[in-house]
Amino acid sequence: MDCSLLRTLVSRYCAGEENWVDSRTIYVGHREPPPGAEAYIPQRFPDNRVVSSKYTFWNFVPKNLFEQFRRIANFYFLIIFLVQLIIDTPTSPVTSGLPLLFVITVTAIKQGYEDWLRHKADNAINHCPVHFIQHGKLVRKQSQKLRVGDIVMVKENETFPCDLIFLSSSRGDGTCFVTTTGLDGESSQKTYYAVQDTKAFHNEQEIDALHATIECEQPQPDLYKFVGRINVYHDRNEPIARPLGSENLLLRGATLKNTEKIFGVAIYTGMETKMALNYQSKSQKRSAVEKSMNVFLVVYLGILVSKAVINTVLKYAWQSDPFRDEPWYNQKTEPEKKRNLFLQAFTDFLAFMVLFNYIIPVSMYVTVEMQKFLGSYFLAWDEEMFDEGTGEGPLVNTSDLNEELGQIEYVFTDKTGTLTENNMEFVECCIEGHVYVPHVICNGQILHDCTGIDMIDSSPGSNGKEREELFFRALCLCHTVQVKDDDSVDGLEKDEVPRKPCVYISSSPDEVALVEGIQRLGYTFLRLKENYMEILNRENNIEKFELLEVFSFDSVRRRMSVIVRSPTGDIFLFCKGADSSIFPRVKEGKIDQVRSRVQRNAVEGLRTLCVAYKKLSAEEYSNVQELLQGAKLALQERDKKLAEVYEQIETDFILLGATAVEDRLQEKAADTIEALQKAGIKVWVLTGDKMETAAATCYACKLFRRNTQILELTTKKIEEQSLHDVLFDLNKTVIRQNGSLTRDTFSGLSADTQDYGLIIDGAALSLIMKPRYDGSSGNYREIFLNICRNCTAVLCCRMAPLQKAQIVKLIKLSKERPITLAIGDGANDVSMILEAHVGIGVIGKEGRQAARNSDYAIPKFKHLKKMLLVHGHFYYIRISELVQYFFYKNVCFIFPQFLYQFFCGFSQQTLYDTAYLTLYNISFTSLPILLYSLMEQHVSPETLKREPSLYRDVAKNALLRWHAFIYWTFLGVFDAVVFFFGAYFLLNNTVVTSNGQLMTTSTHMIFGNWTFGTVVFTVLVFTVTFKLAIDTHYWTWINHFVIWGSLVFYIVFSLLWGGITWPFLNYQRMYYVFMQMLSSGPAWLGIILLITVSLLPDVLKKVLCRELWPTATERIQKSMRHKTGQNALPSCDGPLLEGNLSPSEP
Amino acid sequence: MAVNYSAKEEADGHPSGGVGVPGGGAVGGGGGGAVKTRKPDNTAFKQQRLPAWQPILTAGTVLPAFFIIGLIFIPIGIGIFVTSNNIREYEIDYTGTEPSSPCNKCLNVSWDSTPPCTCTINFTLEHAFESNVFMYYGLSNFYQNHRRYVKSRDDSQLNGDNSSLLNPSKECEPYRTNEDKPIAPCGAIANSMFNDTLELYRIDNDTRTPITLIKKGIAWWTDKNVKFRNPTGDGNNLTALFQGTTKPVNWPKPVYMLDSEPDNNGFINEDFIVWMRTAALPTFRKLYRLIERKNNFQPTLQAGKYSLDIAYNYPVHSFDGRKRMILSTISWMGGKNPFLGIAYITVGSICFFLGVVLLFIHHKYGNRNTSADIPN
């Protein structure tokens, strides 16, 4: 007490700032402590508001603008716009200002909308009602109004609104049960204990009378650590101080179970709760496509600057002759003459920049944004990804990462609730080699008898019968299950009890499943009353066993035992545990049969337990008692001593049999994982669960196969050898295989080569992650990564939430920079969901925490398959074409302008009219590519789903690599050269006629510079649109409409634009230019010729590549075509290219 | 292209809309609220199952296209080439930079030299020009497409807008005003209008017969009738209408004295309109006059001797320019332009050749892929 007083005093006088203080004092119920004890210092704590949104109403505009102009591209456009405003440039500011405004607005609206959704989700939580006590009365308030020090009441099945110190519960013993599924993913129920001095307070008034202060550490993210003390004041006496530990702390996000209500006092609220501290800050995720887009952008910026520099230099070289700079017919104005040469040169440079700035298309960002935003609807609309059971469909929380779904290389998945249903079920038991399955269908009939046992093997003999009953009793007795108190069942009406299903509670769902399963086999555990366990046997008689000792389960022994005295007076020790810990202790029983059965079950992913017993004589029992007593009384190393005693006692068993419990896998989980692996994606399971369970699930979902060699990197193993040795051993094993692996790394379907699966646990991982100080040899991380790289599957168990994020980060930042995806359903997965490139939440039972923080949310794990293989693939090919095509069409657009500078004295004269400059990207060529990027399907979704290996065709950003980029750029340059010099030779030095005019004399006119530009522009628009038409594989009516519609629109617009003299324009340079061009035969012939020539190389390249080096996708396309040619619809169900999917394009 | 219409219309209509959601187990006690089905509509569009034509470019499908293009382009090219070769064209460079040239004396004329320097160039046409002949002047190294030059005009002034007439656009600087009077037509383009006079004579036994040169019908009809208009006002007296303006600096006479005929005077003077259409490239031709064929028995210009009389006013020597006079007949596809014909023939041949190559590849490799890929 004195110590704490001193500490508060010290902290008060020395700290000054609250942040510095490492402990906080909370006044329970905001009551001041009695005078004299301590001065009351009201402290300021954040309220209980949870904020995941980025903007508020007030800061939206400035903050969003700032965010947007931080983007290099937007900033660049802003600069261009400002330059156009300031200096005399060839194009008007409108041409770049308008699109920029459009981009900024569209993006702002989109981000605003997304943030509004986040606000809504936050509000739903912040406004959810909470009961708390004010002046001895129960008051309902919004969750966000909760303050530190408030006394809160939580009812059964409610989630704790903040971190609470557990004061009292409706249960007499001052305990409550809590599941932390929402926090760390463990679905088992844990027991928490109320503070000793307050557990007697059962109603509001009593609680309100409590007078206490709590001192505790400042918030920190570790879920399992808490240190504090409570000072309870009774009248005017000295306060009683009690230590507080994590068993007294109820965490936000956990759910109260099997307890009517509890009272607690809030100590950490809002963003300071342990759950919130376990979140990671939301950072803007960028997709790989966007990154390569930015790289291309920088390249183009370089091209742009060099073009401008080249032209500026050439201009001044060319102008060095005064008659060129200022011939008599083209004098400068006075201010121009006076201008400083360098300033003039700089202005010229900027003017060239403005002239060529369209090479970096503003509209690309608009189109990309729109494509992502609109495209994401196809995901949300997908009927196949809608789950009828829950009524949930996929959710898209951000559309920035659509194409990243097509680039995934690593999938990190949670286990409980993601891979599994989180729902245990007893499957079978094996007694002495005979297999019993409850409720099976036998010969088409369901066995009607209450036994419901199907004997698969031959019936046991009389000895077997005895063992069988012993087995069932063992299962009924050897557990720590509690029966939920139910008022109606009080053991009074004994004949009605049997048929009433009991509700069992246990910290282990397996035990519940076992007890329930045994119930179906005829033995029912009724209750534990006054140290007597009551079970109901098949004959509906109640047997009472006296419970003598319980050796509780621990993860080192991996077994538990009970010692009971039967009604007949015999003393039995029943033990159940993992096969590995039971078999060595068995001295008799049909070990081989049981072992083979257990192994079979384990391979099928069932969680197996073995059951054994031994009979103790009275002397033996007293001996045991003595040993136990000695250990229990030890003051030091009690646990160790107890373990030694257990070890001593638990020997010489007689094996009874084994059980198998299934944590039902989610529908099609195995199929999904198999498909993902075929697609070249590495799947890692990260779970907080224990290793055996997790490994069993991994077998069940075919992550590990029967022939997978498991490498273990667990605490247990590290205890035996040093970490260093273990790592190097594993590395050696893996590398030995490496030579033969390289041959087949691509197919991933390697049946003959050895697969490796790695199992690692949290403790071992933290050892690996720990930076090393001795610096003896190499980095463990590198070795670890190397091992991982060579494993087909990795299982990480016993992971804390932040460790999950750590491992994702480790892989993410490894030298290949793979694209990662994390999928999970609980709050414990949030950190990894945020860390991974793409985070996917499963809209599951464990709340919506994960779904809300994810980038995408899906109802079931199986939907991941379609999401990646179909939607991701489509999004990727769509956006990569979009990006490349945009650069291409703008090279085509701007390069002729560049060439024209050589013919107009480098005067920045534009080739095209302003209207064409502005509208080219906005309307003439924008819609076809947008629709392409929404609708394109190079192969059908069914094929993509059936052939996961097609995913490899787009892996590693295949369509946006440098060679593709250079190809498109050169294609653009080639086309531009064709356009410009085609028109040049067509119109140069020649007279082009126009015939058929309504004129008396047939006239033969000269075309001016605007006609020249219009010819180039017409060829440009047609070529660029046709190029897209050639690339389109999926022509719906919309594509037809948009592609041909754009061309028609161009013609109609040009006719209109040149058709009248527009009164609001101060120039009429386009007047009748387009019509004159159309009325000239050679212009037509020239346009057709130039379009043909421009398209020729691309068509040729496509055909040749397809013919000579077809990719897997192209082969599929071809075979699909042949199929549809033969019979109307594709009917093949099997994989089309099983054999010949050898690495065609490594 | 591979025609392969896969009609993937949805098998049946919308399934019954309200698929019941089992009364939400409401974990966490949050206000359950109305659980409404968010089931997406089963429409072809939303499910990305719109019927579509799915063409693939393969050698097989592209082959015919290549052959067809080849077969069409080659004849067209030949046709154009032959037509272009039949066009008669004669060109005289009369800049006079060579000392031997008759116009050498005029090389350094300035705008206001009066009387104008004249020179005569004799030439011989080897072949008769059968159809209508077009007479052009050509300038080289003259940057009509310079940005400062191109924008130096006021289209509303030229369109007869009275306010622009007296207050021309700023774009016309430094040719906007002269001695505080607005220039009409303003701007560099108008100021530098070509003002050489060319006259053509046929020399027949030492007698010079002038050849009628038609000066109307050389501009775009729309330009002459819509885009260019004289200012409007009381009466048709152009002198009065242009009151308050001054002539461009370099012009010897004001715009309303360009021609004697009223419908070819002022802004609607066709020589002026032709000049105002700025050329795309620094070497260009502009139509100057037409020579119409008189009757069907005589070619427009017979083979023989001619002389070209030049009133040399336009200085080009200062910027290294050249001046040419061109006589040309035309065909349906315009003037002499061998490029188009040759290009058509070349492209056609390339396509044909590529067709053959593809045919070869298709036969060698095409079947391999198909047979390997398709099971059964």
Side-chain angles (χ1 to χ4, degrees), chain A residues 497-755:
Chain A
V497 173
R499 290 298 120 213
K500 181 153 184 88
C502 302
V503 180
Y504 299 111
I505 313 162
S506 167
S507 61
S508 155
D510 296 61
E511 287 197 323
V512 176
L514 278 177
V515 174
E516 279 173 356
I518 292 303
Q519 190 177 6
R520 277 184 283 157
L521 290 174
Y523 286 82
T524 312
F525 170 65
L526 290 177
R527 58 182 166 165
L528 173 69
K529 197 177 175 189
E530 288 145 8
N531 255 358
Y532 278 90
M533 293 179 98
E534 296 175 5
I535 58 174
L536 190 71
N537 65 14
R538 283 189 190 158
E539 285 77 39
N540 270 357
N541 297 326
I542 290 180
E543 300 174 11
K544 285 192 177 181
F545 287 82
E546 188 186 353
L547 183 62
L548 299 172
E549 297 289 344
V550 178
F551 305 173
S552 57
F553 181 89
D554 69 66
S555 55
V556 181
R557 273 161 62 234
R558 298 205 281 181
R559 57 180 182 265
M560 70 159 293
S561 305
V562 289
I563 300 176
V564 292
R565 195 195 311 265
S566 73
T568 54
D570 295 329
I571 299 172
F572 290 98
L573 186 148
F574 292 112
C575 177
K576 84 174 182 222
D579 50 351
S580 57
S581 64
I582 296 284
F583 284 133
R585 297 167 191 281
V586 169
K587 70 165 199 248
E588 71 167 283
K590 299 186 174 172
I591 302 176
D592 292 334
Q593 285 109 312
V594 175
R595 192 198 298 271
S596 69
R597 189 71 200 170
V598 164
Q599 274 169 356
R600 221 205 84 179
N601 285 341
V603 167
E604 283 178 4
L606 303 178
R607 298 145 76 101
T608 56
L609 285 175
C610 291
V611 181
Y613 82 103
K614 80 175 180 186
K615 211 165 176 178
L616 297 173
S617 61
E619 304 87 76
E620 279 173 318
Y621 174 61
S622 60
N623 205 3
V624 164
Q625 256 184 322
E626 219 166 279
L627 282 171
L628 280 174
Q629 206 59 29
K632 277 181 183 169
L633 288 176
L635 286 172
Q636 282 165 351
E637 295 187 316
R638 188 188 297 161
D639 290 348
K640 201 177 160 195
K641 284 184 177 148
L642 265 178
E644 278 166 12
V645 173
Y646 291 157
E647 194 81 359
Q648 233 173 311
I649 300 167
E650 291 169 326
T651 47
D652 301 331
F653 288 139
I654 300 159
L655 186 65
L656 283 171
T659 59
V661 169
E662 187 179 18
D663 181 4
R664 282 256 306 285
L665 282 183
Q666 284 213 353
E667 199 187 345
K668 287 187 181 165
D671 171 61
T672 307
I673 288 196
E674 212 172 352
L676 293 183
Q677 285 188 330
K678 271 188 197 165
I681 301 170
K682 291 194 172 177
V683 182
W684 289 36
V685 175
L686 310 182
T687 175
D689 224 332
K690 58 180 184 282
M691 184 184 134
E692 292 77 18
T693 325
T697 314
C698 289
Y699 276 108
C701 62
K702 300 202 179 143
L703 187 68
F704 294 155
R705 285 146 213 277
R706 210 169 293 192
N707 55 354
T708 308
Q709 188 184 334
I710 302 294
L711 311 172
E712 275 187 40
L713 191 59
T714 51
T715 329
K716 195 171 136 240
K717 208 159 171 199
I718 289 169
E719 276 167 5
E720 292 161 9
Q721 283 174 290
S722 75
L723 174 66
H724 185 267
D725 293 346
V726 176
L727 271 176
F728 275 83
D729 278 359
L730 293 181
N731 199 22
K732 233 183 282 168
T733 325
V734 170
I735 290 203
R736 208 181 313 135
Q737 194 63 42
N738 215 6
S740 54
L741 256 171
T742 43
R743 190 167 42 84
D744 219 73
T745 35
F746 259 89
S747 78
L749 310 162
S750 48
D752 43 332
T753 51
Q754 179 69 55
D755 283 343

Side-chain angles (χ1 to χ4, degrees), chain A residues 1008-1056:
Chain A
N1009 63 325
W1010 299 116
T1011 314
F1012 183 77
T1014 308
V1015 170
V1016 174
F1017 193 78
T1018 308
V1019 177
L1020 167 72
V1021 169
F1022 274 80
T1023 306
V1024 158
T1025 310
F1026 284 149
K1027 159 77 181 141
L1028 188 68
I1030 287 173
D1031 286 353
T1032 306
H1033 291 110
Y1034 195 73
W1035 285 83
T1036 63
W1037 64 266
I1038 302 174
N1039 294 79
H1040 280 290
F1041 177 77
V1042 163
I1043 286 184
W1044 312 128
S1046 283
L1047 294 179
V1048 170
F1049 174 74
Y1050 166 67
I1051 292 167
V1052 170
F1053 173 83
S1054 298
L1055 290 174
L1056 202 68

